[in-house]
Amino acid sequence: MKRQKILSLLLFSLFCIASLYASNTSSYTANYQQEPFIQFVYGIPPVLDGVSNTGIEDSYFTALLGVVTVTPNGNQTFQPEMFSLGLESNLYIEGYTYVGGWPNVQYNNAIPVHIRAITVISGNVEQSVIVSPGEIPLGPANGNVTPGGASMLIYLVLENSTGGPSYFIPGTSYRLTDGSNVGFFSVSATVSQNKPNEIIPITLNGGTTMDDDAPFIGETGEPTTIPDIPYEGDFEFEYYFELTILERFENFDLQTALMGIPQVIARLQLQVILAAQNTEYGVEIAFSSSDPTGFTLHLNGDISEHGFPYRLFLGNTEISNNVLMVWDQLYTQNDDNASVTKDVSVLVESSSLVENAPQGFYKDTVTVLIVPLDTM
């Protein structure tokens, strides 16, 4: 509890600093252009191709969040800094990864990531730093950072440096965990080494409203929906698969499921497209519950609330949580595509967890991963 109070005081002090300096903002203009579609790649994001000394290795897994452009109304900028507000010290993404190479796949719900700020002036990196709560230098403490009135570009990059090549799976989406707060940031600088820094008001995505801070992800002043971040990767297959939910049944009858009668909750169609004729194709498919302990229905879908386990089936085959299983028998015959349809159903076994469950609506969110197999 004592530590929480200290953190609150620190954040209050930072906001006071922003408010104190915001009254004198005529020396700079700034805009934060967020990426409309965040996507993971290995190495530096394509926009930074040709820029050296970024601090990003080829083995790093990165996604560009956006670019802050700071332009001095005069000719110079000294001592640029960033205040990160509300940012968690530890950020994590979750999703499927390889363990020791293909085909060993597991769901990892705590993959460490951080945000890197890369300051670029006239094509050269002035500073590349990991963003943490508090005050972050964006350039050298002494000297004219933007000679001749050049703009200062700050690339904000989400980065994992621990997984290494072939750890993340092409065709998979990753997401920041619910406990990862990416927060807001503000930027400050001074026109002279003899003057204090001033907060630079930021417009978001070319808008007209100027604020003292901007969100790393999401919209200002609105609840932030953290997007899934896909990694398209490099596939070795010319053909591709599509998994479609043909029908989805939002509810099922619990009493019938308790009687041992499977209740269909979805109808899936797996297709292979642009494939060779007269060939069998297949995938490995995995289903993962929002509850890391296994398939569990929770009150209002909140894993902190009361829950009870359920069994999940693909066709007549029982599914294990986060375990790959083969879905094959896609025969193209005399065509370049094929499809197979299967039902997903649930059973619930009677237990004290079911009998003592509080009245209400119970649900689970299931994530599906498919990994292409070569021709069978």
Side-chain angles (χ1 to χ4, degrees):
M1 183 63 70
K2 184 177 180 181
R3 185 178 180 182
Q4 184 177 2
K5 288 182 179 178
I6 292 173
L7 177 60
S8 298
L9 288 173
L10 175 60
L11 292 178
F12 180 74
S13 297
L14 292 179
F15 279 113
C16 284
I17 291 170
S19 176
L20 177 65
Y21 293 142
S23 60
N24 179 16
T25 57
S26 61
S27 302
Y28 305 93
T29 58
N31 176 64
Y32 178 39
Q33 190 67 41
Q34 296 173 320
E35 282 295 288
F37 182 72
I38 303 174
Q39 182 174 335
F40 275 118
V41 297
Y42 270 111
I44 64 173
V47 69
L48 285 167
D49 281 344
V51 179
S52 59
N53 302 318
T54 61
I56 299 176
E57 305 289 340
D58 290 342
S59 60
Y60 290 5
F61 198 54
T62 69
L64 180 67
L65 301 180
V67 183
V68 185
T69 303
V70 177
T71 304
N73 294 334
N75 291 322
Q76 56 193 12
T77 298
F78 288 94
Q79 300 173 335
E81 294 174 332
M82 171 184 287
F83 290 104
S84 55
L85 310 172
L87 177 72
E88 292 287 340
S89 298
N90 299 307
L91 300 177
Y92 297 93
I93 58 173
E94 58 182 325
Y96 287 95
T97 59
Y98 287 124
V99 180
W102 185 89
N104 302 311
V105 175
Q106 73 176 18
Y107 193 87
N108 190 336
N109 58 8
I111 306 166
V113 292
H114 47 252
I115 296 175
R116 179 182 291 272
I118 304 169
T119 307
V120 178
I121 309 292
S122 302
N124 297 313
V125 174
E126 289 284 340
Q127 189 75 286
S128 180
V129 292
I130 303 301
V131 177
S132 60
E135 189 175 337
I136 311 297
L138 296 173
N142 299 310
N144 191 343
V145 177
T146 57
S151 293
M152 177 173 66
L153 303 177
I154 306 161
Y155 295 85
L156 299 177
V157 179
L158 191 67
E159 174 183 280
N160 169 273
S161 58
T162 61
S166 302
Y167 181 71
F168 297 94
I169 301 175
T172 300
S173 289
Y174 298 88
R175 66 180 301 273
L176 282 152
T177 59
D178 291 338
S180 293
N181 179 14
V182 290
F184 288 68
F185 68 90
S186 60
V187 180
S188 72
T190 180
V191 296
S192 170
Q193 290 176 286
N194 299 320
K195 293 184 178 181
N197 275 18
E198 59 185 57
I199 290 292
I200 305 170
I202 303 172
T203 61
L204 186 63
N205 299 325
T208 57
T209 302
M210 303 186 76
D211 292 302
D212 288 350
D213 51 44
F216 286 103
I217 302 176
E219 297 293 331
T220 296
E222 297 179 4
T224 298
T225 300
I226 303 300
D228 289 343
I229 307 175
Y231 168 45
E232 293 189 358
D234 297 318
F235 290 96
E236 298 178 359
F237 310 104
E238 294 182 358
Y239 55 89
Y240 64 95
F241 295 90
E242 286 188 355
L243 183 66
T244 306
I245 302 175
L246 296 179
E247 292 183 81
R248 178 165 51 193
F249 307 96
E250 296 291 342
N251 304 301
F252 67 91
D253 184 72
L254 177 60
Q255 294 301 320
T256 305
L258 283 166
M259 294 170 58
I261 302 174
Q263 298 297 288
V264 177
I265 59 171
R267 184 157 292 126
L268 304 182
Q269 181 184 66
L270 179 66
Q271 290 181 285
V272 61
I273 299 170
L274 300 180
Q277 295 185 7
N278 301 309
T279 305
E280 181 187 359
Y281 289 85
V283 300
E284 288 190 292
I285 187 168
F287 297 76
S288 64
S289 170
S290 60
D291 188 329
T293 64
F295 294 119
T296 308
L297 291 164
H298 284 277
L299 182 62
N300 299 321
D302 185 344
I303 63 173
S304 67
E305 298 285 349
H306 185 89
F308 52 86
Y310 66 94
R311 298 167 65 190
L312 194 65
F313 295 82
L314 179 64
N316 296 320
T317 304
E318 184 163 3
I319 301 166
S320 297
N321 187 47
N322 285 340
V323 176
L324 287 166
M325 58 189 294
V326 174
W327 184 348
D328 54 7
Q329 297 184 347
L330 276 80
Y331 297 101
T332 54
Q333 297 182 354
N334 296 319
D335 206 343
D336 65 353
N337 63 80
S339 65
V340 176
T341 300
K342 290 189 177 184
D343 288 343
V344 178
S345 57
V346 299
L347 283 176
V348 180
E349 295 181 350
S350 180
S351 69
S352 60
L353 291 172
V354 177
E355 295 170 359
N356 298 324
Q359 185 175 358
F361 181 70
Y362 287 78
K363 70 176 182 178
D364 185 19
T365 299
V366 176
T367 303
V368 182
L369 168 75
I370 59 172
V371 179
L373 296 171
D374 207 344
T375 52
M376 304 296 291

